[in-house]
Amino acid sequence: MKRFVVILFKATGLLLLLGIIMTALVQTPKGKEWIAGVLSRAASRSDEMDIRIGRIHGWIPVDMRIERIECRDAQGPWLVMEDVRGQWRISRLLKGSIHISELGAAEIQWMRFPQVSMKPPQAERRKAEWRGAPLVVDGWSVDRLLLGEDLVGSPLQYSIRSGGMLLSEGHVSGDISIRGDAVGDVHFESVQNASARPEVVLHAELKEMRNPSFGMDHISGALKATVSENEIDAWIEADLADEDLRGHFSTHLTYGDGRLQLENSVFESDLYTASGDIGMTFA
């Protein structure tokens, strides 16, 4: 018995030593280069998607910074992230949670949607759900988010700050603050509806539009929406504060089965009042 205990202690010590050595090796420049290559290959799909992870700095995996991440397809890069950073509070694993104290990027350029091949429909697959330890993010931010012309029609620039995010047992919630060409705040929360289908509930407040390219730089408003896989149900209110015209607009927007409807739409101003319903069908 005594000999077994001695062997057990030696084996445990050897495993700990091996873990320390491996952790130390991945902190070297060559080790970080190897980790970047492994992550790039694991995230890429050679047939239609290529993820390239640049040089890694910091202490893996607790406090890291990645110089550049590129998402590419056959036409080149469609999403580029610069100076991606993250800090992980590893001690919180002892409490059964994954706790990230900081997550962010100096710049994200989203130029266009990726070009993916159209494949024939496959048998219904089981949807992925987060069933692991709770994931807590104290705060995440993007100093500059650039949306390309091919993506939104006119180049836009934003900065994003989040007050935090929680992901637990398939439930996600959080708050986002947006600045730049638009100023506003968003609260989001996932729920399960009566038929057990996942939905996301959004509460958004638009405080100011700052990009005159859209002709909407005097508009503020609010939105409450429930979004599921194939349906949208939203209540929208907007205020126009132009020098020549001031007014209030409200409507109930629904979308499902290829049909968009604006019900109980009302615009009231000092000059006139208009109301009605609008419906459009998409083939």
Side-chain angles (χ1 to χ4, degrees), residues 48-62:
E48 57 187 21
M49 192 65 63
D50 181 23
I51 310 297
R52 301 182 182 182
I53 297 177
R55 181 173 297 179
I56 299 176
H57 301 271
W59 185 263
I60 298 175
V62 179

Side-chain angles (χ1 to χ4, degrees), residues 24-35:
L25 286 176
V26 299
Q27 309 308 325
T28 64
K30 285 294 184 181
K32 291 174 180 176
E33 183 179 341
W34 177 77
I35 289 291

Side-chain angles (χ1 to χ4, degrees), residues 91-103:
S91 61
R92 291 301 178 91
L93 285 175
L94 300 176
K95 295 184 177 181
S97 67
I98 301 172
H99 198 124
I100 298 174
S101 57
E102 180 188 359
L103 187 64

Side-chain angles (χ1 to χ4, degrees), residues 216-271:
M216 298 188 297
D217 45 321
H218 299 287
I219 291 180
S220 60
L223 172 144
K224 179 180 179 181
T226 301
V227 182
S228 62
E229 186 174 4
N230 300 311
E231 297 178 350
I232 300 174
D233 188 289
W235 292 91
I236 302 172
E237 294 192 16
D239 290 299
L240 176 63
D242 189 76
E243 293 180 359
D244 301 323
L245 180 65
R246 293 179 178 271
H248 178 80
F249 172 77
S250 63
T251 188
H252 179 206
L253 181 150
T254 60
Y255 175 80
D257 296 326
R259 182 167 177 79
L260 175 67
Q261 290 183 291
L262 298 175
E263 301 173 328
N264 302 321
S265 301
V266 178
F267 178 75
E268 297 177 313
S269 72
D270 296 336
L271 301 179

Side-chain angles (χ1 to χ4, degrees), residues 157-160 177-185 207 210:
Q157 178 175 321
Y158 300 99
S159 64
I160 297 176
S177 177
I178 301 172
R179 299 293 182 269
D181 287 331
V183 178
D185 299 296
K207 298 178 180 178
R210 291 180 173 174

Side-chain angles (χ1 to χ4, degrees), residues 40-111:
S40 297
R41 289 189 295 272
S44 299
R45 291 182 294 173
S46 57
D47 56 339
E48 57 187 21
M49 192 65 63
D50 181 23
I51 310 297
R52 301 182 182 182
I53 297 177
R55 181 173 297 179
I56 299 176
H57 301 271
W59 185 263
I60 298 175
V62 179
D63 188 355
M64 294 172 49
R65 184 174 67 85
I66 301 174
E67 287 186 1
R68 183 181 178 93
I69 299 177
E70 280 190 12
C71 300
R72 306 171 65 92
D73 57 17
Q75 296 184 3
W78 59 272
L79 180 68
V80 176
M81 293 176 277
E82 302 278 0
D83 195 15
V84 180
R85 57 192 181 274
Q87 291 183 342
W88 176 29
R89 300 178 66 176
I90 195 170
S91 61
R92 291 301 178 91
L93 285 175
L94 300 176
K95 295 184 177 181
S97 67
I98 301 172
H99 198 124
I100 298 174
S101 57
E102 180 188 359
L103 187 64
E107 181 176 288
I108 295 180
Q109 300 180 51
W110 189 359
M111 287 82 80

